[in-house]
Amino acid sequence: MAERPVFPKDFLWGASTSAYQIEGAAEADGRAPSIWDSFCKLKGRVDNGESGDVACDHYHRMPEDVELMAELGLQAYRFSVSWPRVLPRGRGAPNEKGLDFYDRLIDRLLEKNIEPWLCLYHWDLPQALQDQGGWAVRDGAGWFADYAALCARRYGDRVKRWATFNEFSVFTLFGWAFGWGAPSIADRATHLKTIHHVNLAHGAGVDVLRALVPNASIGAVHSVQPMRPETDRPEDVEAAALFDEHWNRAFPDAQLLAYYPRRIAEAIEPYVQPGDMARIARPLDWFGLNHYAPVYGRKDDSLIWGFGFGSPPAGMKRTAIDWPYDPGCFRDTLIDLTRRYRLPIYVTENGYGTKAAEAPDAEGRVVDAERLAYLQAYIAAMAEAKARGADVRGYFVWSLLDNFEWGGGYGTRFGIVHVDFTTQARTPKESARWYSELIRGG
Ligand code: IFM
């Protein structure tokens, strides 16, 4: 087995999940539909017609799952609150039973000495708000601020680590530009408005958290996957440059440098009002990085912006779901982000997806050798980045459990813990055992 990299004692080790991907209990205790519940009902949009209706049934199995986290020695757990569970209509009357679920989760985590990291938005906008225009209307920022205030007042006595959104660029691009995710819109103007209003919502959310949560440590979680053109043809180079602005810069640049990148700035101008950039760029305490792989961009006129996904170079190593495998890119991303945004970085997601069933063998072991090798290589790359000056303070593996992988349904597994979706049995994989030893310094 590869030698274990050494990290400082206060380096934080955790795991991440999100509400819609694990909770299930879609209709329990007053929860109302989110845009993902609606999307899953559309024919042919999710593999095998699956949905998050049951998922890992974490809503009912939460105590068992927290126990598992404690057994693995996790020091922190990043989860998201389901907005339609706590505010079924998106605004107005809160749902006490929904709020109570997160009270119980947070209390259990604290009992087990696991630090709760609460993310307010991991893609599950209440359908009731989408029906009123969702992120395409400027009011969206106010709706989000009110929801943030509800959570801050309820949980802020116990939760100090807050993230506003998870992967701004991914959910806006896939949901509002490519049309491949909820709410399945593909329209340039709507996409631009969505980008700006989500940025405004982030800024308003930060202000609310700052005002209501004593000693809050606030960040936002960005997907940063460095963009490379598929070829050096000028049209691919230009398409990849625009794709890069959308994926990697539209949100962190606005939030941390108070400007939109050049190509987007011009297009988004009609929607920007005086004072908006200052409303968006509120001081933050950390940068949340979700990183998996570089992306290869190309000219693609079948999609609204004229850019799309290209192929990695022939012969490049790939993961089991065909994502490029490039730990050096992770190292360089950590170094570059430290220089660009000058904030401590927490890696809030990184992990390995496979379509293999990964069922327990006769001895009850789940031997996920490829995931284990991936984690070893990426964590070693993170150590190298740290040695070269990257200010990285913690790492959360994606994901604790196999779960509902959006359009990929349950066929794509990212968990370090296997979930049998028939019996809901949880089995830590070999990667979980290795990760646990790493955390314990073994
Ligand atoms: O499952 C997703 C997660 O919700 C956001 N980041 C990427 C993961 C793997 O695709």
Side-chain angles (χ1 to χ4, degrees):
M1 189 174 283
E3 206 176 293
R4 293 216 162 83
V6 179
F7 287 89
K9 282 234 162 324
D10 60 354
F11 194 86
L12 194 68
W13 296 102
S16 288
T17 63
S18 89
Y20 189 69
Q21 292 180 274
I22 66 165
E23 284 179 5
E27 290 180 5
D29 295 340
R31 180 187 178 277
S34 73
I35 54 174
W36 268 93
D37 295 87
S38 310
F39 182 81
C40 292
K41 293 198 166 68
L42 302 175
K43 265 214 154 40
R45 306 310 296 275
V46 176
D47 287 359
N48 303 315
E50 288 164 342
S51 75
D53 280 0
V54 177
C56 307
D57 197 29
H58 171 75
Y59 186 73
H60 297 113
R61 292 164 197 266
M62 178 273 289
E64 176 195 342
D65 289 337
V66 175
E67 193 57 48
L68 193 57
M69 295 179 217
E71 280 165 20
L72 293 175
L74 297 188
Q75 298 164 346
Y77 173 57
R78 183 175 75 101
F79 61 97
S80 73
V81 171
S82 159
W83 188 345
R85 195 181 289 290
V86 300
L87 274 171
R89 287 188 299 282
R91 44 208 279 246
N95 176 23
E96 190 54 37
K97 285 187 173 164
L99 286 166
D100 184 55
F101 169 71
Y102 299 102
D103 272 331
R104 286 184 279 116
L105 167 63
I106 291 162
D107 289 345
R108 285 237 167 202
L109 290 168
L110 292 172
E111 262 167 44
K112 298 284 175 189
N113 237 346
I114 300 169
E115 187 178 39
W117 284 55
L118 188 158
C119 179
L120 287 166
Y121 187 88
H122 198 126
W123 309 2
D124 46 356
L125 183 72
Q127 181 61 46
L129 294 183
Q130 181 60 29
D131 295 342
Q132 295 164 61
W135 296 120
V137 296
R138 206 175 151 95
D139 285 347
W143 301 336
F144 181 76
D146 291 346
Y147 159 59
L150 173 73
C151 294
R153 290 202 177 92
R154 181 82 176 211
Y155 310 124
D157 56 337
R158 289 154 292 158
V159 176
K160 297 299 161 194
R161 302 289 201 158
W162 293 78
T164 52
F165 285 77
N166 185 76
E167 294 189 0
F168 303 81
S169 62
V170 174
F171 79 79
T172 52
L173 267 169
F174 281 63
W176 279 264
F178 297 148
W180 299 338
S184 195
I185 291 169
D187 177 73
R188 282 191 181 199
T190 313
H191 181 225
L192 289 168
K193 285 188 249 178
T194 295
I195 293 173
H196 190 58
H197 299 151
V198 167
N199 266 326
L200 284 169
H202 158 82
V206 173
D207 286 346
V208 159
L209 294 170
R210 220 36 107 200
L212 296 177
V213 180
N215 307 318
S217 169
I218 306 170
V221 173
H222 298 283
S223 169
V224 181
Q225 323 300 329
M227 186 68 58
R228 301 170 181 169
E230 182 187 60
T231 72
D232 54 11
R233 287 199 315 247
E235 59 269 33
D236 283 341
V237 172
E238 181 49 30
L242 181 59
F243 200 174
D244 182 46
E245 286 194 2
H246 273 281
W247 192 309
N248 294 314
R249 298 190 41 207
F251 294 93
D253 279 7
Q255 294 166 18
L256 297 164
L257 305 176
Y259 59 73
Y260 281 109
R262 181 169 64 81
R263 294 168 184 80
I264 292 182
E266 213 170 284
I268 215 162
E269 212 192 280
Y271 313 110
V272 180
Q273 296 183 9
D276 276 3
M277 297 318 287
R279 288 185 188 102
I280 292 169
R282 314 304 295 148
L284 291 176
D285 301 303
W286 48 271
F287 186 101
L289 168 65
N290 291 1
H291 176 85
Y292 292 87
V295 171
Y296 288 80
R298 67 192 292 261
K299 176 100 182 124
D300 184 347
D301 286 325
S302 70
L303 297 168
I304 62 162
W305 288 112
F307 58 69
F309 289 89
S311 305
M316 183 174 193
K317 192 168 172 185
R318 314 224 194 147
T319 69
I321 52 166
D322 245 6
W323 292 4
Y325 176 102
D326 186 352
C329 178
F330 183 37
R331 176 199 60 218
D332 297 346
T333 302
L334 287 163
I335 296 170
D336 292 349
L337 291 174
T338 298
R339 292 195 187 125
R340 186 169 181 84
Y341 299 120
R342 304 185 175 283
L343 279 177
I345 299 172
Y346 287 90
V347 176
T348 34
E349 281 185 29
N350 172 247
Y352 186 90
T354 177
K355 288 201 178 285
E358 296 192 316
D361 65 17
E363 282 93 54
R365 290 169 66 221
V366 180
V367 184
D368 57 340
E370 290 180 348
R371 179 173 298 101
L372 176 49
Y374 176 99
L375 293 180
Q376 288 174 337
Y378 272 69
I379 288 172
M382 179 169 68
E384 209 185 316
K386 199 164 166 51
R388 293 210 212 158
D391 187 5
V392 53
R393 308 272 180 99
Y395 176 93
F396 293 69
V397 69
W398 182 269
S399 183
L400 177 70
L401 303 169
D402 290 335
N403 59 46
F404 176 72
E405 176 56 15
W406 308 112
Y410 297 95
T412 302
R413 293 177 181 266
F414 269 92
I416 57 169
V417 173
H418 180 267
V419 177
D420 177 328
F421 290 106
T422 310
T423 62
Q424 291 292 349
R426 275 70 162 145
T427 310
K429 305 177 189 177
E430 293 298 296
S431 57
R433 307 215 173 280
W434 176 83
Y435 191 52
S436 173
E437 283 170 27
L438 174 81
I439 297 172
R440 296 194 158 101

